[in-house]
Amino acid sequence: MMQWLTELNPIILALLATLFTWGCTAFGAAFVFSTKKANQLVFDNMLAFAGGVMIAASFWSLLSPAIERAEAQSVPAYIPAAVGFLLGGLFLLLVDRILPMINEDLYFKEITNRKAKHRTAMLVFSITMHNIPEGLAVGVAFGALATDLTSSALSGAIALALGIGIQNIPEGTAVSIPLRREGMSTRKSFFYGQFSGMVEPIAAVIGAATVIIIEPLLPYALSFAAGAMIFVVAKEVIPGSQERGSVQLTTMSLMIGFVVMMILDVALG
């Protein structure tokens, strides 16, 4: 399987990986067809597990390779890693200032009134903007394979896509089910729930192509993606998984996710 994958263009791999993450968003949104109420405890633990995977992947799949590649450049290796990492967090901080993450009071209140179209459009646009860095992170990880086509690098990129995909399942549900609960049709609720995932394949292709064409940017791009991922985990994934009170259980789920990703990366590397 790995042998076949290594023969594919990294941009194609990035596209395939983010089609998977988009599919996970659609899978989560599809729960609207069976229920108006999600099993919140299950989704909280899925979100926490994905957070652990994303934290581990941010280091082993993004930050550590960034430092290794920066060692071949004229500047100290820690500079691209530090600059890129902080820029990734700063970028999402600015995005979050303009478009706050999902806020039920803002987006779902009176969704059936005359302002429904505006609220829905803002909801989808907000989540879409926050999914761009996730797509870029996957794209950069696969784009790096153009200069380091090893099984460990490939497995790290795949694990990163897997973690983001798991995180996208409850995200899709978090959009579609509240929309359905507030009166929108099932099909429209599903459509809007999965819609935000469409941007990830586009962002991934752009990210992969950019680091292949401009190779010196690779350490900065990998670190940027790591910073963006850690920002998402710290600000949204962890608080979102614990806001309903299952703190101890979700904390253990996060740690298990971290360990699973660590084992995959170290064992396959």
Side-chain angles (χ1 to χ4, degrees):
M1 180 66 174
M2 284 290 186
Q3 179 65 32
W4 174 74
L5 289 175
T6 56
E7 295 175 357
L8 291 177
N9 185 293
I11 296 177
I12 299 298
L13 288 174
L15 176 62
L16 293 175
T18 44
L19 286 175
F20 163 76
T21 61
W22 177 17
C24 289
T25 306
F27 176 73
F31 279 89
V32 74
F33 290 110
S34 60
T35 182
K36 284 189 178 181
K37 185 177 181 181
N39 187 327
Q40 201 58 58
L41 182 61
V42 172
F43 283 118
D44 285 348
N45 281 279
M46 285 178 61
L47 193 61
F49 179 89
V53 171
M54 291 162 71
I55 292 172
S58 294
F59 176 74
W60 275 286
S61 300
L62 296 171
L63 205 52
S64 180
I67 295 171
E68 291 177 6
R69 286 167 173 78
E71 289 174 349
Q73 298 183 357
S74 58
V75 297
Y78 59 81
I79 291 180
V83 171
F85 186 85
L86 292 175
L87 285 176
L90 180 61
F91 172 76
L92 277 200
L93 179 63
L94 293 175
V95 171
D96 198 51
R97 291 273 183 163
I98 301 169
L99 293 168
M101 290 287 195
I102 302 174
N103 183 317
E104 290 203 20
D105 291 333
L106 173 63
Y107 294 119
F108 299 135
K109 187 179 180 181
E110 298 177 358
I111 196 71
T112 55
N113 69 9
R114 278 181 277 181
K115 296 181 180 179
K117 290 184 179 180
H118 173 71
R119 293 182 186 277
T120 303
M122 284 298 296
L123 167 66
V124 175
F125 184 62
S126 175
I127 301 172
T128 298
M129 288 296 295
H130 285 91
N131 278 352
I132 289 175
E134 296 178 2
L136 286 173
V138 176
V140 169
F142 279 97
L145 299 177
T147 57
D148 182 26
L149 190 51
T150 61
S151 60
S152 60
L154 178 59
S155 63
I158 292 173
L160 176 63
L162 179 62
I164 292 175
I166 295 172
Q167 183 257 340
N168 282 355
I169 295 174
E171 185 176 271
T173 307
V175 178
S176 64
I177 286 184
L179 287 173
R180 176 61 182 140
R181 190 171 61 234
E182 296 300 328
M184 187 173 284
S185 70
T186 303
R187 289 186 178 182
K188 283 188 176 181
S189 298
F190 168 75
F191 175 79
Y192 288 122
Q194 60 81 40
F195 185 83
S196 65
M198 291 182 182
V199 75
E200 290 185 0
I202 299 171
V205 169
I206 293 172
T210 300
V211 298
I212 290 173
I213 295 170
I214 313 175
E215 188 177 328
L217 286 180
L218 185 54
Y220 294 93
L222 287 166
S223 303
F224 181 94
M229 297 299 292
I230 292 297
F231 183 94
V232 170
V233 173
K235 186 178 185 302
E236 295 300 326
V237 174
I238 294 176
S241 68
Q242 297 181 351
E243 65 184 3
R244 277 160 289 272
S246 54
V247 176
Q248 294 179 334
L249 187 59
T250 54
T251 298
M252 289 307 303
S253 295
L254 183 142
M255 294 183 70
I256 292 170
F258 184 95
V259 169
V260 168
M261 176 62 195
M262 178 182 67
I263 291 173
L264 285 173
D265 234 312
V266 175
L268 294 177

